[in-house]
Amino acid sequence: MPEPISPQEPETATEAAGAPFEVVLTVSEQADVGPLFRRLSTVPEATVTRRRSGPDEGELGVVEVLQLLVPSAAVLTVAIRTLPAFIRSRRSSVTVTLTRGDRSVTLTGENLDDPQKAFEIADRLLGDD
């Protein structure tokens, strides 16, 4: 059974969590949003909510995304390090896109075998923060 979608506004959730870093995760297969939500919910100090996102220009429908709020770069790195096992556990090829502001990183099963990649991805998302 899918988890309820949080009625909170993104600004309210950010303030409640006291988290300076917000990352939006989009999953290529909508059926995988729930399992990824459950996995990320186990990361200490991270707050994960599900929300609906409107379609991109020229597309129809609503997409469900995950909002990840973390208090530090270290917690973001821990969350990113959970993604390779999640991606490999899926039956079909899954792509997870992490977006923070105008920065975006796409992860597949092939590009996260090296643990050092998690730090590089976190650095790309955080930029100068």
Side-chain angles (χ1 to χ4, degrees), residues 113-125:
D113 288 334
D114 178 8
Q116 183 62 28
K117 288 284 191 185
F119 296 110
E120 293 171 14
I121 291 166
D123 283 345
R124 273 191 261 155
L125 286 173

Side-chain angles (χ1 to χ4, degrees):
M1 182 171 172
E3 288 79 13
I5 296 173
S6 173
Q8 296 177 325
E9 294 296 316
E11 294 79 19
T12 304
T14 303
E15 291 169 7
F21 303 116
E22 174 187 358
V23 178
V24 175
L25 290 91
T26 307
V27 184
S28 60
E29 300 295 326
Q30 286 295 292
D32 291 324
V33 172
L36 181 56
F37 172 84
R38 288 188 292 280
R39 181 173 296 257
L40 290 173
S41 294
T42 65
V43 174
E45 299 183 53
T47 302
V48 185
T49 56
R50 293 171 79 162
R51 63 180 184 158
R52 290 188 175 101
S53 175
D56 289 332
E57 188 174 324
E59 295 181 357
L60 298 175
V62 176
V63 176
E64 192 173 11
V65 298
L66 298 176
Q67 178 185 37
L68 176 65
L69 303 170
V70 295
S72 68
V75 176
L76 178 59
T77 302
V78 169
I80 291 169
R81 290 185 76 180
T82 68
L83 296 176
F86 169 78
I87 291 170
R88 283 192 288 272
S89 72
R90 311 319 301 161
R91 291 179 189 237
S92 61
S93 177
V94 175
T95 301
V96 178
T97 301
L98 295 93
T99 304
R100 180 170 180 258
D102 62 349
R103 299 177 189 108
S104 188
V105 178
T106 299
L107 310 175
T108 64
E110 295 81 47
N111 70 355
L112 269 182
D113 288 334
D114 178 8
Q116 183 62 28
K117 288 284 191 185
F119 296 110
E120 293 171 14
I121 291 166
D123 283 345
R124 273 191 261 155
L125 286 173
L126 297 173
D128 295 330
D129 291 342

